[in-house]
C-alpha cells in the first residue's frame, strides 16, 4: 500500500466521519422533536408589563404596517407598549410613526448593529422599567394571543422565551424553500432540543426576556451582528433555560430573491465563524464542567448550513458510486437519514405541488450559498442589511 493511497484513505474517512456526525446530530434531534409533547403553560394569574422593541435599519417599506399590527395585540393596552428603534428612516416614515400610539427612538451609528440599537433603546427607557421585553424584527407580525402566551411562560418561571417564528407568506417558490429551512431549524434546534431537556435556540426575533436580565445580557454586546447568539451563549453559560412557544407564532417575511438570500447567508456564515473562533475552547471547558448545553451550542458552529450539507452528501454519494464503493452502503444510509431528518421538520400541511417547486430551487440556493461564502470577509467587517418588503 503506497503512502499516497494511505493518505487518501485517511482523508476519505475524515470526510465520512465529519458528514456522519452532522447527519446523526440532526437525525437525533429531529426524532426527538417528532415524538415530544409540546410544553404547556397554564393561564397566568399576573399580567406583567411588557415592552416591545422593534429595531429597524432603513425599513421604511414595512415598519409602518408592523407598528400598526403590534398595537392590535389582545393584551391590556395599559400593560404593554410598542417602541420603534429607527435607524436611517426617512422623514416621511418617522412622521407617520409618530402619529401612532407608540414610542419612536431615533438612533444613528457609524456601523449599525441591532445590539447597539437595543442598548440605546434600553438607555432611553431605563427610567420606566417593565417586567418583560419582547424583540421583534421590522417585518414581524405577532399572532393573536402571543403576548398572553409569553406572559404564561414567565408565570412558570422562565426568564427567556423564544416564540415560534414562521413564514408570513410564500411570494415565490424560493420564499417557500427559505420558509422550509426555518421550520426545519425550529424542529431541530428548538422543539427537538427542548424535548431532551436542553434550551431552545434563539432566532433573533420573537424573543422575550425578563427586563433586568435582558439589560445584563446586553452589557458590552460589542459590534457583533449576532447579538442574539451572543446573548444565547451568555444565557446558557449561566445554566438558564430557554422556553420554546411551540405553535405561538410570530410571522416573518421570507427571502424571495436569491441575491437577498446570498446577503443574508453571508452575514449568518460570518456569525457562525465568529462564534466558532470565540467559543471553540470554552465549549470544551464547559463540557468538562458538566455544561452540556453550552458545548452543544458551540458544536452547532461546526455544522454546515442545511442546503450545503444536502449538496455535499449528494456529491459524496455520487463519488462513492463511481470511485469509492467501499463506502457505498454507509453513504446510502447517511443520505436517507439526512433526508428523513429534514423532511420531519417540514409541516405536513405544506406537502403539495408548491413544495416540489420549492425543492427545485435548491440548486439556486446552493449557488447563492457559494456566492455568500465569497463575501464572508465583508460581512465580518461591516453591517450587511437584508431588505424587507421586496417581492
Amino acid at each position: 500500500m503506497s503512502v499516497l493511497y494511505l493518505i487518501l484513505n485517511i482523508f476519505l474517512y475524515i470526510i465520512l466521519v465529519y458528514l456522519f456526525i452532522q447527519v446523526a446530530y440532526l437525525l437525533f434531534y429531529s426524532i426527538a422533536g417528532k415524538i415530544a409533547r409540546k410544553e404547556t403553560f397554564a393561564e397566568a394569574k399576573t399580567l406583567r408589563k411588557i415592552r416591545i422593541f422593534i429595531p429597524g435599519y432603513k425599513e421604511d417599506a414595512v415598519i409602518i404596517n408592523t407598528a400598526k399590527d403590534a398595537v392590535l395585540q389582545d393584551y391590556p393596552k395599559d400593560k404593554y407598549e410598542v417602541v420603534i428603534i429607527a435607524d436611517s428612516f426617512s422623514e416621511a416614515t418617522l412622521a407617520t410613526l409618530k402619529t401612532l400610539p407608540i414610542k419612536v427612538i431615533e438612533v444613528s451609528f457609524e456601523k449599525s448593529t441591532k445590539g447597539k440599537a437595543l442598548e440605546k433603546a434600553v438607555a432611553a427607557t431605563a427610567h420606566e422599567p417593565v417586567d418583560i421585553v419582547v424583540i421583534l424584527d421590522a417585518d414581524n407580525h405577532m399572532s393573536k394571543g402571543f403576548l398572553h402566551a409569553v406572559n404564561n411562560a414567565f408565570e412558570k418561571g422562565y426568564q427567556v422565551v423564544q416564540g415560534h417564528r414562521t413564514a408570513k407568506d410564500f411570494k415565490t417558490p424560493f420564499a417557500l424553500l427559505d420558509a422550509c429551512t426555518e421550520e426545519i431549524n425550529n424542529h431541530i434546534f428548538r422543539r427537538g432540543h427542548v424535548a431532551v431537556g436542553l434550551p431552545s435556540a434563539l432566532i433573533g426575533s420573537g424573543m422575550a426576556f425578563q427586563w433586568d436580565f435582558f439589560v445584563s445580557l446586553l452589557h458590552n454586546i460589542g459590534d457583533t451582528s449576532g447579538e442574539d447568539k451572543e446573548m444565547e451563549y451568555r444565557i446558557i453559560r449561566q445554566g438558564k433555560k430557554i422556553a420554546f412557544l411551540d405553535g405561538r407564532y410570530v410571522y416573518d417575511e421570507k427571502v424571495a430573491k436569491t441575491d437577498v438570500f446570498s446577503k443574508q447567508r453571508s452575514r449568518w456564515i460570518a456569525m457562525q465563524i465568529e462564534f466558532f473562533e470565540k467559543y471553540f475552547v470554552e465549549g470544551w471547558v464547559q463540557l468538562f464542567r458538566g455544561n452540556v448545553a453550552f458545548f452543544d451550542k458551540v458544536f452547532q458552529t461546526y455544522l454546515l448550513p442545511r442546503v450545503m450539507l444536502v449538496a455535499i452528501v449528494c456529491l459524496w454519494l455520487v463519488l462513492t458510486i463511481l470511485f469509492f464503493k467501499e463506502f457505498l452502503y454507509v453513504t446510502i444510509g447517511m443520505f436517507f437519514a439526512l433526508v428523513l431528518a429534514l423532511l420531519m421538520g417540514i409541516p405536513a400541511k405544506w406537502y403539495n405541488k408548491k413544495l416540489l417547486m420549492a425543492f427545485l430551487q435548491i440548486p439556486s440556493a446552493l449557488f447563492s450559498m457559494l456566492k455568500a461564502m465569497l463575501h464572508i470577509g465583508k460581512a465580518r467587517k461591516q453591517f450587511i442589511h437584508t431588505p424587507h418588503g421586496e417581492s
Side-chain angles (χ1 to χ4, degrees), residues 82-320:
V82 178
V83 180
I84 304 296
I85 312 169
D87 187 349
S88 304
F89 286 4
S90 71
E91 290 300 325
T93 298
L94 291 171
T96 302
L97 289 173
K98 290 173 182 177
T99 65
L100 302 175
I102 63 174
K103 292 182 179 179
V104 179
I105 298 173
E106 297 180 52
V107 298
S108 180
F109 308 100
E110 184 177 342
K111 178 184 177 182
S112 294
T113 68
K114 188 190 290 187
K116 288 179 181 178
L118 290 170
E119 281 186 301
K120 285 283 188 181
V122 165
T125 57
H127 62 287
E128 298 179 284
V130 292
D131 300 304
I132 300 170
V133 58
V134 172
I135 311 298
L136 299 181
D137 277 346
D139 63 320
N140 288 168
H141 289 187
M142 296 174 286
S143 60
K144 183 179 179 181
F146 181 76
L147 294 183
H148 279 290
V150 167
N151 188 57
N152 294 342
F154 276 78
E155 183 91 348
K156 197 169 181 178
Y158 285 103
Q159 289 181 280
V160 186
V161 171
Q162 174 62 60
H164 188 153
R165 204 173 76 178
T166 194
K168 189 184 300 180
D169 51 43
F170 309 129
K171 294 179 179 178
T172 66
F174 198 90
L176 177 53
L177 179 64
D178 190 32
C180 287
T181 62
E182 177 117 284
E183 286 301 331
I184 290 168
N185 288 338
N186 279 330
H187 182 72
I188 293 172
F189 298 105
R190 283 167 269 283
R191 185 181 298 123
H193 273 64
V194 168
V196 299
L198 293 174
S200 165
L202 295 179
I203 200 171
S205 69
M207 311 177 294
F209 304 83
Q210 190 269 334
W211 173 260
D212 290 335
F213 189 43
F214 176 72
V215 173
S216 70
L217 292 173
L218 269 185
H219 183 65
N220 290 331
I221 199 71
D223 285 336
T224 179
S225 59
E227 78 296 324
D228 57 319
K229 294 304 174 190
E230 178 60 33
M231 288 193 291
E232 192 174 347
Y233 282 106
R234 295 179 181 188
I235 293 163
I236 297 174
R237 183 192 282 125
Q238 296 180 45
K240 304 284 187 179
K241 293 288 187 181
I242 303 174
F244 178 47
L245 296 181
D246 203 353
R248 297 293 189 170
Y249 297 112
V250 170
Y251 297 102
D252 179 69
E253 181 182 297
K254 307 319 297 175
V255 175
K257 294 181 178 181
T258 56
D259 58 336
V260 177
F261 181 88
S262 182
K263 287 181 180 179
Q264 184 187 68
R265 265 46 181 189
S266 287
R267 190 176 74 248
W268 289 5
I269 296 171
M271 284 191 307
Q272 186 169 337
I273 294 172
E274 173 189 343
F275 291 113
F276 172 81
E277 293 172 348
K278 186 173 183 179
Y279 290 113
F280 175 82
V281 174
E282 187 179 353
W284 289 98
V285 172
Q286 290 288 344
L287 178 63
F288 292 129
R289 291 177 178 173
N291 193 340
V292 176
F294 192 94
F295 176 78
D296 177 85
K297 176 52 55 180
V298 176
F299 183 83
Q300 291 170 23
T301 67
Y302 307 170
L303 303 178
L304 293 168
R306 255 53 67 205
V307 171
M308 191 174 293
L309 180 60
V310 169
I312 291 175
V313 170
C314 288
L315 177 61
W316 180 257
L317 179 59
V318 172
L319 291 175
T320 56

